[in-house]
Each structure stands twice: as C-alpha cells, then as structure tokens.
Amino acid sequence: PFFVNRGGLPVDEPTWERMWRHVGRIHPEGQRVAQRIRGAADLPKIPIPSVPAFQPSTPIPERLEAVQRYIRELQYNHTGTQFFEIKKSRPLTGLMDLAKEMTKEALPIKCLEAVILGIYLTNNMTTLDRFPISFKTHFSGNYFRHIVLGVNFGGRYGALGISRREELMYKAPVFRTLSELIFDFEEAYRRCWHTLKKVKLGHCVSHDPHSVEQIEWKHSVLDLDKLTREDFRKELERHARDMRLKIGKGTGPPSPTKDRKKDVSSPQRGQASPHRRNSRGDRRPSGEKKPADSKAMPDLNGYQIRV
C-alpha cells in the first residue's frame, strides 16, 4: 500500500496526518488496516532506490541519466495525497533538507518534488546550470500545470523531472538553444492533445546547499496567446542570454548562508531602490559616530579578557 514507508522508517507526523485524512474518506477502516500491515512480519521487503553516487571522472551527461533513473525509480505519485509539503517561498537550504528527507522516505513523488530532488542531487555538478521551467496547458476545458528542472551543460539544454507521460519529463542535454528545448516540450504536449498556454522560466539556482536565498521561479512569464511564434522564440533566447550574463558577470556578494543570516537586513520601506544593499560606503564616517558609552568599555574589555 502507498502509505507504508519503503524503508520501514517512521514517517513524520504531518505526513501521516495527511494520509489518514485521505484514507479515512475512502476507507473508514484504513488506519486499522495500515497498522495491521505495518505489524506483519511475513511481508516481503520493498526495495529502496539507491541515491546515485559518482566518481569524479563520471561525465555530466551520465550523471544526469543516473539522477533521472533514480527519480523514475521513486515512481509517480498517483494516490492524490501530497506526501511532502513544498513551499516555493522557502529558502534553498530548507528545500534541500526536504529533499534529503525524500531520499530517506523513498515515497512516490510529483513534478515539483522531482524538481527539488533534481536540484539536491546535482548540487555538486558545479559546471551544470539549473533553472525551473513551468508549463500551463489547456485540454478539454481544463487547465493543467507541470514543472521540470531545466539544465544547461556545455551550451546544450535538457531537463530533469517526472510526469505521467514519458515525453514530458527527461530530456537529454542535446538541444542547442533554449527555444529548441521548449518547442520539443510543446510538440510533446500537442501529441497529448494539450495546447501550451504559458511558460514560466526561472533564473539559475545556486549550488550552495546552505544558501538562504529563494529560488526565482518565474523571472520570465511568456503568454503564448499574446506572442507570435517568432516573438516567443526571441523571448526564450532573451531569457537564455540573461542567464548567461548573470552567470558570466559573477558580480555582487555570495549568496547568504546559515552562518550569515544575522548579517542580512531587509531594505527599509521608502528607499528609492528596493534592492539597495547596506555597504561600508553607505555608513556614516567614523567621525560622525556617537562616542561610546564610558560604562560599556570596561564590560567590553572584560569580555575580551575572558575570551
């Protein structure tokens, strides 16, 4: 049954609560049945997919295939119950902790979970650029949404992910341009009788698993109903160029990490620029500083002596 942990490990309480609510609606005796199954000693062990490990000499394309194979082995979650709660506003370090939990629980996943897991498993591939790609499609009067992790290695584009459809998940990094990759997804949707309506493209994700910055999920939002085919292609290539420029510049301080959280301050309201950072140049000259309180100096010196 889907609610039995593959590794025989206890699932966190919120996950079990969500599962019991779902099971209770369709099977009133579900909790009792689950406990009876979990207590059975004669059940065969369910194999747990092994997290891929690589040699330093393993080429990036082979690593991507291994990561995608691992995501496939977890299987798509058809149960209708979300096993892992993913908030896109969480910092990257929190999402990486969640991805680590996914590898321990080895439960079926959906497309957004596969993206987070793909980022986690490719963090050590520093020559690989990763960015989210979201799709909105229309079929039979309804709208559907899907997301994959776009990758760029050596100037070639591809994707990692999971889907009910084979052609809407993994794409080997063989596409010369970002537009070729997106057009390939569009053609795959067309074969499924879906019409592509919107594409949202994010910026490259940091390789620092301890970064407290948020993933930029939709730097570019492209509405196909408002763009001609040529304009759509130009906007895709513009986004690809923006990502290359952002990576090439390498300007600005490194992304804040857990150890530097206390140094990060939010911009004050009413500033002319919302992205202005506090730097040494913005501080008042030392001559304008208030004189230190005479009572505080002995305490400070005493602290230094104790240290």
Side-chain angles (χ1 to χ4, degrees):
F2 69 86
F3 44 79
V4 176
N5 184 293
R6 293 186 182 184
L9 300 173
V11 181
D12 64 312
E13 191 66 24
T15 303
W16 276 112
E17 288 178 356
R18 290 193 297 271
M19 285 191 279
W20 292 138
R21 284 199 301 270
H22 176 74
V23 172
R25 287 196 296 268
I26 60 177
H27 195 330
E29 300 295 323
Q31 186 170 357
R32 188 179 303 172
V33 172
Q35 291 174 346
R36 185 167 64 249
I37 293 173
R38 288 174 64 83
D42 57 343
L43 294 176
K45 290 185 178 181
I46 301 175
I48 303 175
S50 300
V51 178
F54 310 106
Q55 297 293 331
S57 59
T58 305
I60 294 296
E62 292 184 15
R63 297 188 188 193
L64 292 177
E65 289 181 3
V67 169
Q68 181 63 41
R69 189 161 52 248
Y70 173 77
I71 292 176
R72 287 172 186 263
E73 289 174 354
L74 291 178
Q75 301 180 14
Y76 189 86
N77 180 6
H78 293 278
T79 65
T81 300
Q82 193 77 26
F83 294 142
F84 303 97
E85 184 181 5
I86 297 180
K87 295 181 180 179
K88 291 184 175 181
S89 59
R90 290 187 68 182
L92 185 60
T93 178
L95 293 174
M96 294 303 95
D97 290 341
L98 185 58
K100 189 182 299 184
E101 181 186 346
M102 292 182 202
T103 61
K104 292 179 180 179
E105 301 296 346
L107 292 168
I109 58 176
K110 290 189 176 182
C111 58
L112 182 56
E113 295 158 306
V115 168
I116 301 302
L117 196 56
I119 294 173
Y120 173 74
L121 296 174
T122 58
N123 269 336
N124 60 348
M125 306 180 197
T126 55
T127 57
L128 183 74
D129 300 329
R130 299 90 44 85
F131 57 97
I133 307 174
S134 303
F135 303 97
K136 179 181 179 182
T137 60
H138 183 263
F139 170 72
S140 187
N142 296 312
Y143 289 95
F144 300 85
R145 288 170 175 82
H146 181 48
I147 187 170
V148 296
L149 181 66
V151 297
N152 180 9
F153 173 71
R156 301 283 175 162
Y157 291 88
L160 297 171
I162 197 168
S163 171
R164 296 181 180 90
R165 296 282 186 171
E166 183 73 20
E167 57 269 31
L168 294 176
M169 36 200 292
Y170 176 66
K171 303 287 184 182
V174 296
F175 297 91
R176 294 175 299 175
T177 63
L178 178 59
S179 57
E180 287 185 6
L181 173 65
I182 301 302
F183 289 161
D184 187 81
F185 271 106
E186 184 183 26
E187 179 59 30
Y189 271 118
R190 188 177 291 113
R191 292 195 295 270
C192 299
W193 306 98
H194 280 238
T195 302
L196 186 60
K197 292 293 185 180
K198 280 187 180 181
V199 176
K200 297 179 182 179
L201 303 163
H203 256 313
C204 292
V205 181
S206 170
H207 285 270
D208 180 6
H210 305 297
S211 171
V212 296
E213 67 182 7
Q214 296 177 349
I215 296 175
E216 192 172 359
W217 296 96
K218 49 181 181 180
H219 179 78
S220 299
V221 180
L222 309 181
D223 191 337
L224 275 68
D225 290 336
K226 300 178 181 179
L227 295 171
T228 64
R229 189 70 173 178
E230 182 61 19
D231 289 338
F232 182 41
R233 185 191 64 78
K234 288 181 179 179
E235 288 297 321
L236 291 172
E237 295 313 314
R238 181 195 59 78
H239 182 84
R241 185 169 58 254
D242 288 347
M243 288 195 296
R244 290 194 300 268
L245 291 174
K246 185 176 181 180
I247 296 171
K249 285 181 180 179
T251 56
S255 58
T257 60
K258 286 181 177 179
D259 298 334
R260 296 195 290 269
K261 278 183 180 179
K262 293 182 179 180
D263 298 331
V264 179
S265 58
S266 301
Q268 298 177 0
R269 294 186 179 181
Q271 285 182 336
S273 173
H275 300 291
R276 181 181 178 185
R277 293 187 177 94
N278 292 327
S279 62
R280 292 184 177 180
D282 295 333
R283 297 173 184 168
R284 291 183 301 177
S286 57
E288 296 180 13
K289 292 182 179 178
K290 293 182 179 180
D293 190 355
S294 58
K295 295 182 180 180
M297 294 305 293
D299 295 337
L300 179 59
N301 292 334
Y303 177 75
Q304 292 173 340
I305 291 172
R306 288 198 297 272
V307 172

